[in-house]
Amino acid sequence: MKKLILLLSFLAITFGGYAQKTSETINFIVASDMGRHGKSEQKNIAEIMARFVEQNKVEFLAVAGDPIHDDGVKSTDDEEWTLKIENVYTAPSLHAIPWYVVSGNHEYNGSVQAILDYSTISERWNAPARYFAQKHTIGTTGQKALFVYIDTPPLIDKYRNNGKYSDAGAQDMEQQLQWLDSVLMVSNDLWKIVIGHHPVYATTNKDEEERTDMQLRVGKILEHRGADVYICGHIHNFQHIKPEGSNVHYVVNSSASNSRKIHEPNFQGLIFGNADPGFTSFSISEKILSFSFINHQNEQIYSYTIVRL
């Protein structure tokens, strides 16, 4: 039976194999569109995230791109690391869990290689490659959740064709898409989750060509290979979308600093939208997958639960 949807959970694969961890329920949070020197609610949201992690035994943080606005970093020694990450996310609880990171368009304003290399500097920072996959064993039956992290700027012509965006155009787009298709195709896992920075579907006044490219290149694979959920950032507000006829739930995480209004409240397929900044929490087990949008006032403004029959 096709799994009814939504999630996120985590694990670590490098390209040589899958690392696995067992738990009855996996709790994690998603943040994106972050670093602004602690301003625009960033510091406040960081403190709310820290308390949430302490109180809910969160296992990891997934960073869905743009951790460092506006121009990324030039190197692992760039002072932006200190100003926008280390001086903001200071709580012990946020140092105690791993952060799994993919880049967004702002990282492509600088050095994406430095985003990867920072994994050797910070114990919590984990960016093993520009795109990677992970599995996580749930409960005692051996069932697994598959998490696939993708590098979206090189999949969008707007970034590929503009030299402003570092080496986006030099990346092998077809190789990444073939890899994504293959990883999902061979998976018999209980849940299949894909995470990237740019949305496949979203209501926004950002360039439509971004979503068009993502729909043609990524959306087709998600639908054809049985993905359950796609999680992204980039739009700076909360959205939960399920297009008509789609088997995939699309979750847009809001900015962890500076948010934007919902562009089109009557957008087709939009189940919920909210313009607050904040982060998203997820919990996944063999039978239940749930997620909640948590805003800058520490309010749970939306929750969605899927029960597997």
Side-chain angles (χ1 to χ4, degrees):
M1 176 183 294
K2 175 72 180 172
K3 303 149 269 209
L4 289 113
I5 262 106
L6 205 50
L7 104 346
L8 198 188
S9 174
F10 223 124
L11 236 62
I13 142 185
T14 54
F15 292 102
Y18 294 95
Q20 301 173 5
K21 179 178 178 180
T22 302
S23 176
E24 292 298 327
T25 302
I26 305 303
N27 302 313
F28 55 93
I29 58 176
V30 176
S32 61
D33 307 278
M34 301 157 68
R36 292 184 182 274
H37 296 98
K39 299 178 181 179
S40 300
E41 295 288 349
Q42 186 193 7
K43 183 65 174 177
N44 176 45
I45 293 170
E47 293 171 353
I48 295 172
M49 287 168 53
R51 291 196 298 272
F52 186 91
V53 171
E54 293 168 0
Q55 297 168 4
N56 294 279
K57 297 182 179 179
V58 172
E59 313 235 354
F60 61 86
L61 166 63
V63 179
D66 281 2
I68 303 179
H69 276 271
D70 283 310
D71 295 317
V73 290
K74 298 180 178 65
S75 70
T76 56
D77 297 324
D78 196 316
E79 67 174 354
E80 294 288 79
W81 289 109
T82 299
L83 297 174
K84 296 183 176 180
I85 298 294
E86 303 302 344
N87 284 355
V88 179
Y89 302 97
T90 58
S93 62
L94 294 180
H95 279 274
I97 59 172
W99 295 26
Y100 298 100
V101 184
V102 289
S103 292
N105 49 292
H106 285 281
E107 282 66 59
Y108 271 89
N109 286 337
S111 169
V112 176
Q113 188 59 49
I115 298 295
L116 307 182
D117 291 345
Y118 199 66
S119 301
T120 67
I121 305 296
S122 169
E123 291 186 359
R124 62 180 169 183
W125 193 268
N126 291 268
R130 295 190 189 222
Y131 52 90
F132 56 97
Q134 303 178 329
K135 287 191 178 185
H136 205 138
T137 302
I138 308 168
T140 59
T141 65
Q143 297 277 17
K144 297 178 176 65
L146 171 69
F147 295 85
V148 185
Y149 290 80
I150 62 174
D151 183 26
T152 59
L155 305 180
I156 298 171
D157 289 344
K158 169 184 173 178
Y159 303 108
R160 294 187 61 82
N161 298 331
N162 188 335
K164 169 187 174 183
Y165 296 102
S166 184
D167 57 353
Q171 303 307 306
D172 192 329
M173 177 175 66
E174 292 304 324
Q175 182 179 62
Q176 182 180 177
L177 293 173
Q178 290 170 10
W179 172 86
L180 172 63
D181 183 72
S182 176
V183 169
L184 291 174
M185 178 180 65
V186 302
S187 169
N188 292 315
D189 301 300
L190 188 63
W191 303 98
K192 298 181 184 181
I193 298 88
V194 181
I195 304 164
H197 181 61
H198 289 85
V200 176
Y201 295 96
T203 170
T204 175
N205 58 3
K206 289 179 177 287
D207 292 340
E208 185 176 355
E209 64 189 272
E210 295 181 6
R211 270 96 59 216
T212 300
D213 286 349
M214 288 291 290
Q215 288 162 21
L216 290 174
R217 293 166 181 168
V218 175
K220 286 186 176 181
I221 296 174
L222 300 180
E223 298 287 346
H224 186 57
R225 297 305 186 191
D228 296 291
V229 61
Y230 177 73
I231 301 166
C232 69
H234 190 54
I235 307 303
H236 291 224
N237 51 48
F238 291 115
Q239 298 182 37
H240 176 198
I241 297 170
K242 191 171 186 293
E244 183 177 359
S246 173
N247 292 316
V248 182
H249 283 237
Y250 296 88
V251 177
V252 180
N253 180 66
S254 189
S255 169
S257 56
N258 184 32
S259 65
R260 302 187 182 103
K261 68 179 182 179
I262 299 293
H263 180 61
E264 185 182 348
N266 296 320
F267 181 76
Q268 185 177 16
L270 180 66
I271 299 172
F272 179 82
N274 180 275
D276 291 345
F279 65 98
T280 307
S281 69
F282 289 86
S283 181
I284 182 172
S285 68
E286 291 182 357
K287 297 294 184 180
I288 295 176
L289 184 154
S290 62
F291 72 95
S292 299
F293 293 150
I294 300 171
N295 72 6
H296 61 300
Q297 296 179 332
N298 199 20
E299 299 169 332
Q300 180 178 295
I301 57 175
Y302 178 72
S303 182
Y304 192 82
T305 298
I306 299 95
V307 179
R308 189 185 304 284
L309 300 177

